Amino acid sequence: YIFRDGRLVKPYFFEFICNVKTRWAGKTIVDLFTHEFRQRPRDYYVEAVKSGRIQVDGMNVDISYTVKTSQRISHFVHRHEPPVMSWSIPILEKDVDVVTICKPPSVPVHPCGQYRKNTVLGILQAEHGLTPLFPVHRLDRLVSGLLILARSAARADLFRQQIEAGKVQKEYVAKVVGEFPEAEKIVDAAVIFDAREGRSSVQDGKAASTIFNRISTNGIHSIVKCKPITGRTHQIRVHLQHLGHPIANDALYLSFKIDPMCTNCPNLPPKGYDEEGLWLHCVRYSGPDWTYGCPYPDWA
């Protein structure tokens, strides 16, 4: 790792491996990569096939080669991971069965997308020798706070069974727009997640329920305790938006006014804005005979 305005990973070579899906069969190797993996231009994939960086079943192929179902495709790349904000991951508790940490914002929990080493699991393995670890619950990349990691698959399954049975209470804290009502608010509104858009909305979908209580307010922003009863994707964020009090720095769910004279509208959020840590923090998880907690963030 390199520490310079955040945590960076030195570029490294990595081999992506996948099997040909049914809907890919019959496409040329170049067409397949061009249409399914659009982060690189077609010319790159032509050169990658010619140089052997893309292979089929461990063998070099021609750029016109047609792939078949279940063949093994490998793509050897020089990987550049995006930086993350944090320099360290504070360990809260560590015993033979469980490790709890205070997850910093911007760090994904496990390998996904462009991230592999710059993840909670990767950093804990590299810097603390903690492996294997099994996340008991998930936190979005920009969300901070308590993360429970089991040290065995069996212990992780026990936690998950309790969560699925409704025996676990969850508590978060958020900084929201406006003066949140003093009285407790309960939102029972179905949530549906649109994977293409990367966001949820309140409409016909999976049942979702969240309890909100105001902790404090200065009239401009409010600190709100959030207790999700269910666990839908972006549930707290979209329920707060539904109440008219979205998280104050949540570009995905804030409503912006479009200025017809502005050259940036409606291309929101501004570049780099989404790398600010979200003002949503996991504070506590409690089960039948256990409780784990995390200190409040500075902004709360």
Side-chain angles (χ1 to χ4, degrees), residues 31-240:
D31 284 345
L32 165 60
F33 273 87
T34 301
H35 296 149
E36 298 293 335
F37 305 99
R38 300 182 182 182
Q39 61 268 38
R40 292 183 172 90
R42 181 183 182 85
D43 289 348
Y44 165 82
Y45 292 122
V46 169
E47 292 304 315
V49 172
K50 287 181 177 179
S51 65
R53 288 201 175 193
I54 292 178
Q55 296 183 331
V56 179
D57 290 333
M59 300 177 62
N60 291 358
V61 296
D62 187 80
I63 59 173
S64 61
Y65 181 85
T66 300
V67 301
K68 303 174 183 64
T69 305
S70 298
Q71 284 185 311
R72 180 176 177 270
I73 297 177
S74 57
H75 182 197
F76 195 65
V77 301
H78 194 236
R79 194 167 189 177
H80 294 246
E81 292 194 25
V84 296
M85 291 165 56
S86 179
W87 287 31
S88 64
I89 296 181
I91 295 176
L92 302 172
E93 295 186 46
K94 180 170 67 174
D95 60 33
V96 295
D97 293 319
V98 178
V99 173
T100 65
I101 66 160
C102 186
K103 176 191 168 304
S106 86
V107 185
V109 174
H110 46 68
C112 59
Q114 300 179 72
Y115 299 90
R116 184 173 181 84
K117 298 180 184 294
N118 245 349
T119 63
V120 169
L121 297 184
I123 294 168
L124 290 177
Q125 178 178 357
E127 298 189 346
H128 299 277
L130 292 170
T131 188
L133 293 174
F134 303 84
V136 171
H137 59 104
R138 65 183 298 274
L139 294 177
D140 290 338
R141 186 173 67 85
L142 295 179
V143 176
S144 60
L146 175 70
L147 184 67
I148 305 170
L149 303 154
R151 304 190 75 171
S152 69
R155 188 56 187 260
D157 286 340
L158 179 60
F159 279 119
R160 292 189 188 114
Q161 289 170 17
Q162 293 178 350
I163 292 173
E164 291 171 2
K167 297 179 179 179
V168 175
Q169 291 75 52
K170 299 165 280 186
E171 183 180 319
Y172 291 71
V173 64
K175 184 176 182 178
V176 306
V177 172
E179 186 172 339
F180 197 86
E182 187 174 3
E184 179 176 273
K185 289 289 183 181
I186 301 176
V187 177
D188 290 305
V191 169
I192 188 168
F193 179 70
D194 186 329
R196 184 180 295 274
E197 295 293 331
R199 58 180 290 159
S200 293
S201 58
V202 171
Q203 53 181 289
D204 291 340
K206 295 181 179 179
S209 180
T210 314
I211 301 172
F212 298 102
N213 286 276
R214 189 179 82 186
I215 297 174
S216 64
T217 184
N218 62 6
I220 299 173
H221 295 121
S222 299
I223 304 299
V224 179
K225 183 185 297 183
C226 317
K227 292 184 177 180
I229 307 305
T230 50
R232 310 306 179 199
T233 302
H234 294 186
Q235 176 178 314
I236 294 174
R237 298 166 68 178
V238 74
H239 275 180
L240 284 167

